[in-house]
Amino acid sequence: MTKRILFTGGSGKAGRHVVPWLIANGYEVHNIDLVPLDSPGVTNLLVDVTDSGQVFNALSMHRDFPDLETGRGVQPYDAVIHFAAIPRILIKPDNETFRVNTIGTYNVIEAVMKLGVRKVIVASSETTYGICFAEGHRDFHQFPLEEDYDVDPMDSYGLSKVLNEKTARAFAERYGADIYALRIGNVIEPHEYEKFPAFFANPETRKRNAWNYIDARDLGQICHLCVERDGLGFQVFNAANDTVTANTPTRELARRFFPNVPFTRDIGEYEGLYSNRKIREVLGFKEEHNWRHYVKT
């Protein structure tokens, strides 16, 4: 039976690649967002996730006219993927960024749980590690960056994502649900590989995110793996590709830009400082879009 997925924020930078990937892999996807996603196979509903009533209605109404023909009433969703958010600082005032991201996430997970869905994938962020939007230079605590890190952002966006992880954990505990928070790295769309030569020439421009990236299509694979893997309860996963966005070895980058940050384990020559080891070992993630397929060095 085809799995039905409600996707929030599918019209955004990541969602507009993840949604088609999921549809191509056999899912029915219904996108709720403030603007529709113009992509084959997806249905849309305009919803403000900060309005709890709208979210409850979106989860408990037909997704399209053909649903009326079955006579079976509204069919439940198998999973919800929640990406809707203000995507960074400096778009809205800080308090509005925090409000939208935290209240929106609470509303979505609450509605999902109370309506009986037991699989949610939530978009967390690399910013939880506290450096992306930090004031001035700030050292990471340790390398590589893994999910047991003491996350400590100082900005409204990163803080909202930390709180969202706590919200997800609370609901997972209360309802015995699977809620997986993806700390999504710097999303790279296919056309953005043209930026990589500049990254190589100026590696200092990438130090705030520890030279990580996630190809938007590989993020689709990660979401697919999360939907299919049951029984993990609450989990946090770094969502990143395997290697750094540099043609300089990883330890050399670390010595140059973060000389005082210790390593907790050995690391491969170009292995990402933003480690995806957990999604590889637990979910079986295998990247398909290493930047070397698209960029000449």
Side-chain angles (χ1 to χ4, degrees):
M1 181 180 294
T2 300
K3 287 189 175 181
R4 293 162 56 91
I5 296 176
L6 184 86
F7 199 113
T8 81
S11 306
K13 180 179 183 180
R16 63 177 175 254
H17 295 277
V18 174
V19 168
W21 200 100
L22 294 170
I23 291 172
N25 281 271
Y27 296 101
E28 291 182 7
V29 182
H30 185 49
N31 175 47
I32 66 172
D33 206 329
L34 295 175
V35 295
L37 173 63
D38 183 12
S39 184
V42 65
T43 55
N44 291 278
L45 186 68
L46 303 186
V47 175
D48 179 354
V49 296
T50 68
D51 184 320
S52 179
Q54 290 189 39
V55 175
F56 269 92
N57 270 268
L59 278 156
S60 56
M61 60 186 283
H62 288 301
R63 58 192 289 268
D64 205 358
F65 286 107
D67 284 358
L68 298 172
E69 301 299 328
T70 68
R72 294 184 292 125
V74 176
Q75 297 302 296
Y77 289 96
D78 296 288
V80 172
I81 301 176
H82 174 51
F83 276 30
I86 294 174
R88 61 170 174 83
I89 61 170
L90 304 178
I91 295 174
K92 296 278 190 175
D94 287 336
N95 63 325
E96 182 68 357
T97 298
F98 185 81
R99 183 191 71 84
V100 169
N101 291 358
T102 56
I103 295 300
T105 297
Y106 183 92
N107 287 346
V108 169
I109 300 178
E110 179 190 39
V112 168
M113 293 296 108
K114 290 182 176 178
L115 291 171
V117 183
R118 292 294 178 265
K119 171 61 67 65
V120 187
I121 295 93
V122 175
S124 187
S125 171
E126 62 178 328
T127 61
T128 57
Y129 289 90
I131 306 301
C132 285
F133 301 140
E135 189 78 15
H137 176 82
R138 191 185 194 197
D139 277 339
F140 292 99
H141 305 320
Q142 62 199 41
F143 287 137
L145 306 175
E146 298 186 311
E147 290 83 352
D148 60 354
Y149 189 97
D150 178 21
V151 292
D152 60 345
M154 63 175 72
D155 64 283
S156 63
Y157 179 83
L159 180 60
S160 76
K161 294 297 184 176
V162 171
L163 183 58
N164 288 348
E165 290 181 6
K166 296 297 186 182
T167 299
R169 182 176 180 176
F171 276 105
E173 292 286 344
R174 179 181 300 181
Y175 288 90
D178 288 339
I179 307 182
Y180 307 155
L182 301 179
R183 289 180 181 162
I184 299 171
N186 180 214
V187 176
I188 296 295
E189 298 180 85
H191 71 274
E192 292 183 304
Y193 285 107
E194 65 186 25
K195 299 178 180 180
F196 275 52
F199 296 165
F200 304 156
N202 302 285
E204 66 276 4
T205 63
R206 303 285 294 169
K207 72 174 188 175
R208 283 180 174 264
N209 61 15
W211 300 275
N212 86 73
Y213 79 106
I214 178 66
D215 185 285
R217 296 159 295 183
D218 280 332
L219 183 57
Q221 180 199 159
I222 292 170
C223 289
H224 168 73
L225 291 169
C226 287
V227 170
E228 294 300 321
R229 183 63 182 272
D230 295 331
L232 299 180
F234 172 71
Q235 294 290 330
V236 175
F237 294 102
N238 287 345
N241 283 79
D242 293 352
T243 61
V244 290
T245 54
N247 53 11
T248 303
T250 301
R251 279 192 176 269
E252 184 177 332
L253 287 171
R255 282 195 300 268
R256 179 176 172 187
F257 293 101
F258 296 101
N260 299 318
V261 177
F263 278 77
T264 59
R265 63 172 173 84
D266 291 335
I267 198 166
E269 184 178 12
Y270 293 98
E271 182 180 345
L273 290 167
Y274 192 77
S275 175
N276 69 357
R277 183 168 67 170
K278 184 177 178 181
I279 58 168
R280 289 187 285 107
E281 293 181 352
V282 176
L283 298 181
F285 171 65
K286 296 179 181 179
E287 70 170 14
E288 297 180 4
H289 300 283
N290 187 290
W291 63 257
R292 291 166 181 82
H293 299 162
Y294 309 105
V295 184
K296 292 182 179 179
T297 59

